[in-house]
mmCIF file with all atom_site columns, all heavy atoms in Angstrom:
data_model
loop_
_atom_site.group_PDB
_atom_site.id
_atom_site.type_symbol
_atom_site.label_atom_id
_atom_site.label_alt_id
_atom_site.label_comp_id
_atom_site.label_asym_id
_atom_site.label_entity_id
_atom_site.label_seq_id
_atom_site.pdbx_PDB_ins_code
_atom_site.Cartn_x
_atom_site.Cartn_y
_atom_site.Cartn_z
_atom_site.occupancy
_atom_site.B_iso_or_equiv
_atom_site.pdbx_formal_charge
_atom_site.auth_seq_id
_atom_site.auth_comp_id
_atom_site.auth_asym_id
_atom_site.auth_atom_id
_atom_site.pdbx_PDB_model_num
ATOM 1   N N   . GLY B 1 10 ? -59.335 16.788 89.669 1.00 94.00 ? 10 GLY B N   1
ATOM 2   C CA  . GLY B 1 10 ? -58.137 17.087 90.128 1.00 94.00 ? 10 GLY B CA  1
ATOM 3   C C   . GLY B 1 10 ? -57.455 18.010 89.172 1.00 94.00 ? 10 GLY B C   1
ATOM 4   O O   . GLY B 1 10 ? -58.092 18.510 88.079 1.00 94.00 ? 10 GLY B O   1
ATOM 5   N N   . ASN B 1 11 ? -56.166 18.298 89.256 1.00 94.00 ? 11 ASN B N   1
ATOM 6   C CA  . ASN B 1 11 ? -55.427 19.149 88.480 1.00 94.00 ? 11 ASN B CA  1
ATOM 7   C C   . ASN B 1 11 ? -54.688 18.366 87.310 1.00 94.00 ? 11 ASN B C   1
ATOM 8   O O   . ASN B 1 11 ? -54.166 18.976 86.362 1.00 94.00 ? 11 ASN B O   1
ATOM 9   C CB  . ASN B 1 11 ? -54.407 19.878 89.262 1.00 94.00 ? 11 ASN B CB  1
ATOM 10  C CG  . ASN B 1 11 ? -55.006 21.058 90.045 1.00 94.00 ? 11 ASN B CG  1
ATOM 11  O OD1 . ASN B 1 11 ? -56.036 21.571 89.677 1.00 94.00 ? 11 ASN B OD1 1
ATOM 12  N ND2 . ASN B 1 11 ? -54.326 21.407 91.085 1.00 94.00 ? 11 ASN B ND2 1
ATOM 13  N N   . SER B 1 12 ? -54.854 17.031 87.447 1.00 94.00 ? 12 SER B N   1
ATOM 14  C CA  . SER B 1 12 ? -53.961 16.368 86.390 1.00 94.00 ? 12 SER B CA  1
ATOM 15  C C   . SER B 1 12 ? -54.530 16.317 84.964 1.00 94.00 ? 12 SER B C   1
ATOM 16  O O   . SER B 1 12 ? -53.828 16.164 84.055 1.00 94.00 ? 12 SER B O   1
ATOM 17  C CB  . SER B 1 12 ? -53.840 14.802 86.854 1.00 94.00 ? 12 SER B CB  1
ATOM 18  O OG  . SER B 1 12 ? -55.039 14.275 87.033 1.00 94.00 ? 12 SER B OG  1
ATOM 19  N N   . HIS B 1 13 ? -55.835 16.403 84.889 1.00 95.00 ? 13 HIS B N   1
ATOM 20  C CA  . HIS B 1 13 ? -56.365 16.316 83.502 1.00 95.00 ? 13 HIS B CA  1
ATOM 21  C C   . HIS B 1 13 ? -57.785 17.137 83.358 1.00 95.00 ? 13 HIS B C   1
ATOM 22  O O   . HIS B 1 13 ? -58.824 16.547 83.279 1.00 95.00 ? 13 HIS B O   1
ATOM 23  C CB  . HIS B 1 13 ? -56.598 14.772 83.209 1.00 95.00 ? 13 HIS B CB  1
ATOM 24  C CG  . HIS B 1 13 ? -56.725 14.468 81.735 1.00 95.00 ? 13 HIS B CG  1
ATOM 25  N ND1 . HIS B 1 13 ? -56.931 15.431 80.907 1.00 95.00 ? 13 HIS B ND1 1
ATOM 26  C CD2 . HIS B 1 13 ? -56.691 13.280 81.124 1.00 95.00 ? 13 HIS B CD2 1
ATOM 27  C CE1 . HIS B 1 13 ? -56.980 14.864 79.657 1.00 95.00 ? 13 HIS B CE1 1
ATOM 28  N NE2 . HIS B 1 13 ? -56.823 13.642 79.797 1.00 95.00 ? 13 HIS B NE2 1
ATOM 29  N N   . PRO B 1 14 ? -57.638 18.424 83.415 1.00 95.00 ? 14 PRO B N   1
ATOM 30  C CA  . PRO B 1 14 ? -58.781 19.251 83.373 1.00 95.00 ? 14 PRO B CA  1
ATOM 31  C C   . PRO B 1 14 ? -59.700 19.012 82.131 1.00 95.00 ? 14 PRO B C   1
ATOM 32  O O   . PRO B 1 14 ? -60.915 19.114 82.361 1.00 95.00 ? 14 PRO B O   1
ATOM 33  C CB  . PRO B 1 14 ? -58.208 20.673 83.413 1.00 95.00 ? 14 PRO B CB  1
ATOM 34  C CG  . PRO B 1 14 ? -56.716 20.699 83.403 1.00 95.00 ? 14 PRO B CG  1
ATOM 35  C CD  . PRO B 1 14 ? -56.321 19.139 83.477 1.00 95.00 ? 14 PRO B CD  1
ATOM 36  N N   . THR B 1 15 ? -59.071 18.850 81.004 1.00 95.00 ? 15 THR B N   1
ATOM 37  C CA  . THR B 1 15 ? -59.898 18.628 79.843 1.00 95.00 ? 15 THR B CA  1
ATOM 38  C C   . THR B 1 15 ? -60.760 17.443 79.931 1.00 95.00 ? 15 THR B C   1
ATOM 39  O O   . THR B 1 15 ? -62.027 17.462 79.493 1.00 95.00 ? 15 THR B O   1
ATOM 40  C CB  . THR B 1 15 ? -59.058 18.697 78.527 1.00 95.00 ? 15 THR B CB  1
ATOM 41  O OG1 . THR B 1 15 ? -58.118 17.744 78.797 1.00 95.00 ? 15 THR B OG1 1
ATOM 42  C CG2 . THR B 1 15 ? -58.525 20.003 78.164 1.00 95.00 ? 15 THR B CG2 1
ATOM 43  N N   . LEU B 1 16 ? -60.255 16.387 80.388 1.00 96.00 ? 16 LEU B N   1
ATOM 44  C CA  . LEU B 1 16 ? -61.074 15.147 80.520 1.00 96.00 ? 16 LEU B CA  1
ATOM 45  C C   . LEU B 1 16 ? -62.258 15.352 81.506 1.00 96.00 ? 16 LEU B C   1
ATOM 46  O O   . LEU B 1 16 ? -63.320 15.009 81.322 1.00 96.00 ? 16 LEU B O   1
ATOM 47  C CB  . LEU B 1 16 ? -60.201 14.087 81.075 1.00 96.00 ? 16 LEU B CB  1
ATOM 48  C CG  . LEU B 1 16 ? -60.922 12.714 81.213 1.00 96.00 ? 16 LEU B CG  1
ATOM 49  C CD1 . LEU B 1 16 ? -61.317 12.193 79.786 1.00 96.00 ? 16 LEU B CD1 1
ATOM 50  C CD2 . LEU B 1 16 ? -60.075 11.675 81.854 1.00 96.00 ? 16 LEU B CD2 1
ATOM 51  N N   . VAL B 1 17 ? -62.025 16.153 82.633 1.00 96.00 ? 17 VAL B N   1
ATOM 52  C CA  . VAL B 1 17 ? -62.974 16.427 83.613 1.00 96.00 ? 17 VAL B CA  1
ATOM 53  C C   . VAL B 1 17 ? -64.173 17.264 82.972 1.00 96.00 ? 17 VAL B C   1
ATOM 54  O O   . VAL B 1 17 ? -65.281 16.914 82.968 1.00 96.00 ? 17 VAL B O   1
ATOM 55  C CB  . VAL B 1 17 ? -62.417 17.270 84.725 1.00 96.00 ? 17 VAL B CB  1
ATOM 56  C CG1 . VAL B 1 17 ? -63.485 17.767 85.689 1.00 96.00 ? 17 VAL B CG1 1
ATOM 57  C CG2 . VAL B 1 17 ? -61.307 16.486 85.512 1.00 96.00 ? 17 VAL B CG2 1
ATOM 58  N N   . GLU B 1 18 ? -63.723 18.190 82.106 1.00 96.00 ? 18 GLU B N   1
ATOM 59  C CA  . GLU B 1 18 ? -64.655 19.029 81.421 1.00 96.00 ? 18 GLU B CA  1
ATOM 60  C C   . GLU B 1 18 ? -65.484 18.197 80.532 1.00 96.00 ? 18 GLU B C   1
ATOM 61  O O   . GLU B 1 18 ? -66.696 18.353 80.552 1.00 96.00 ? 18 GLU B O   1
ATOM 62  C CB  . GLU B 1 18 ? -63.880 20.020 80.632 1.00 96.00 ? 18 GLU B CB  1
ATOM 63  C CG  . GLU B 1 18 ? -64.449 21.398 80.544 1.00 96.00 ? 18 GLU B CG  1
ATOM 64  C CD  . GLU B 1 18 ? -63.415 22.361 79.837 1.00 96.00 ? 18 GLU B CD  1
ATOM 65  O OE1 . GLU B 1 18 ? -62.560 22.859 80.572 1.00 96.00 ? 18 GLU B OE1 1
ATOM 66  O OE2 . GLU B 1 18 ? -63.550 22.450 78.673 1.00 96.00 ? 18 GLU B OE2 1
ATOM 67  N N   . SER B 1 19 ? -64.940 17.352 79.751 1.00 96.00 ? 19 SER B N   1
ATOM 68  C CA  . SER B 1 19 ? -65.782 16.624 78.710 1.00 96.00 ? 19 SER B CA  1
ATOM 69  C C   . SER B 1 19 ? -66.527 15.533 79.399 1.00 96.00 ? 19 SER B C   1
ATOM 70  O O   . SER B 1 19 ? -67.714 15.185 79.016 1.00 96.00 ? 19 SER B O   1
ATOM 71  C CB  . SER B 1 19 ? -65.027 16.068 77.599 1.00 96.00 ? 19 SER B CB  1
ATOM 72  O OG  . SER B 1 19 ? -63.797 15.403 78.023 1.00 96.00 ? 19 SER B OG  1
ATOM 73  N N   . ILE B 1 20 ? -66.086 14.987 80.588 1.00 97.00 ? 20 ILE B N   1
ATOM 74  C CA  . ILE B 1 20 ? -67.018 14.058 81.269 1.00 97.00 ? 20 ILE B CA  1
ATOM 75  C C   . ILE B 1 20 ? -68.210 14.747 81.907 1.00 97.00 ? 20 ILE B C   1
ATOM 76  O O   . ILE B 1 20 ? -69.309 14.319 81.695 1.00 97.00 ? 20 ILE B O   1
ATOM 77  C CB  . ILE B 1 20 ? -66.204 13.330 82.452 1.00 97.00 ? 20 ILE B CB  1
ATOM 78  C CG1 . ILE B 1 20 ? -65.205 12.322 81.807 1.00 97.00 ? 20 ILE B CG1 1
ATOM 79  C CG2 . ILE B 1 20 ? -67.182 12.562 83.338 1.00 97.00 ? 20 ILE B CG2 1
ATOM 80  C CD1 . ILE B 1 20 ? -64.422 11.566 82.797 1.00 97.00 ? 20 ILE B CD1 1
ATOM 81  N N   . CYS B 1 21 ? -67.932 16.048 82.399 1.00 96.00 ? 21 CYS B N   1
ATOM 82  C CA  . CYS B 1 21 ? -68.990 16.772 82.907 1.00 96.00 ? 21 CYS B CA  1
ATOM 83  C C   . CYS B 1 21 ? -70.061 17.084 81.876 1.00 96.00 ? 21 CYS B C   1
ATOM 84  O O   . CYS B 1 21 ? -71.330 17.086 82.067 1.00 96.00 ? 21 CYS B O   1
ATOM 85  C CB  . CYS B 1 21 ? -68.494 18.051 83.522 1.00 96.00 ? 21 CYS B CB  1
ATOM 86  S SG  . CYS B 1 21 ? -67.725 17.751 85.143 1.00 96.00 ? 21 CYS B SG  1
ATOM 87  N N   . SER B 1 22 ? -69.512 17.521 80.700 1.00 96.00 ? 22 SER B N   1
ATOM 88  C CA  . SER B 1 22 ? -70.471 17.855 79.662 1.00 96.00 ? 22 SER B CA  1
ATOM 89  C C   . SER B 1 22 ? -71.241 16.673 79.137 1.00 96.00 ? 22 SER B C   1
ATOM 90  O O   . SER B 1 22 ? -72.340 16.850 78.767 1.00 96.00 ? 22 SER B O   1
ATOM 91  C CB  . SER B 1 22 ? -69.791 18.732 78.537 1.00 96.00 ? 22 SER B CB  1
ATOM 92  O OG  . SER B 1 22 ? -68.973 17.926 77.759 1.00 96.00 ? 22 SER B OG  1
ATOM 93  N N   . SER B 1 23 ? -70.599 15.590 79.144 1.00 95.00 ? 23 SER B N   1
ATOM 94  C CA  . SER B 1 23 ? -71.372 14.383 78.696 1.00 95.00 ? 23 SER B CA  1
ATOM 95  C C   . SER B 1 23 ? -72.469 14.108 79.842 1.00 95.00 ? 23 SER B C   1
ATOM 96  O O   . SER B 1 23 ? -73.536 13.647 79.380 1.00 95.00 ? 23 SER B O   1
ATOM 97  C CB  . SER B 1 23 ? -70.443 13.177 78.664 1.00 95.00 ? 23 SER B CB  1
ATOM 98  O OG  . SER B 1 23 ? -69.471 13.225 77.671 1.00 95.00 ? 23 SER B OG  1
ATOM 99  N N   . LEU B 1 24 ? -72.194 14.287 81.011 1.00 94.00 ? 24 LEU B N   1
ATOM 100 C CA  . LEU B 1 24 ? -73.213 14.030 81.957 1.00 94.00 ? 24 LEU B CA  1
ATOM 101 C C   . LEU B 1 24 ? -74.167 15.207 82.127 1.00 94.00 ? 24 LEU B C   1
ATOM 102 O O   . LEU B 1 24 ? -75.276 15.048 82.826 1.00 94.00 ? 24 LEU B O   1
ATOM 103 C CB  . LEU B 1 24 ? -72.534 13.756 83.437 1.00 94.00 ? 24 LEU B CB  1
ATOM 104 C CG  . LEU B 1 24 ? -71.790 12.514 83.617 1.00 94.00 ? 24 LEU B CG  1
ATOM 105 C CD1 . LEU B 1 24 ? -70.937 12.552 84.787 1.00 94.00 ? 24 LEU B CD1 1
ATOM 106 C CD2 . LEU B 1 24 ? -72.733 11.402 83.634 1.00 94.00 ? 24 LEU B CD2 1
#
Side-chain angles (χ1 to χ4, degrees):
Chain B
N11 285 333
S12 59
H13 201 344
T15 47
L16 183 67
V17 175
E18 217 171 276
S19 50
I20 289 179
C21 281
S22 68
S23 294
L24 287 169

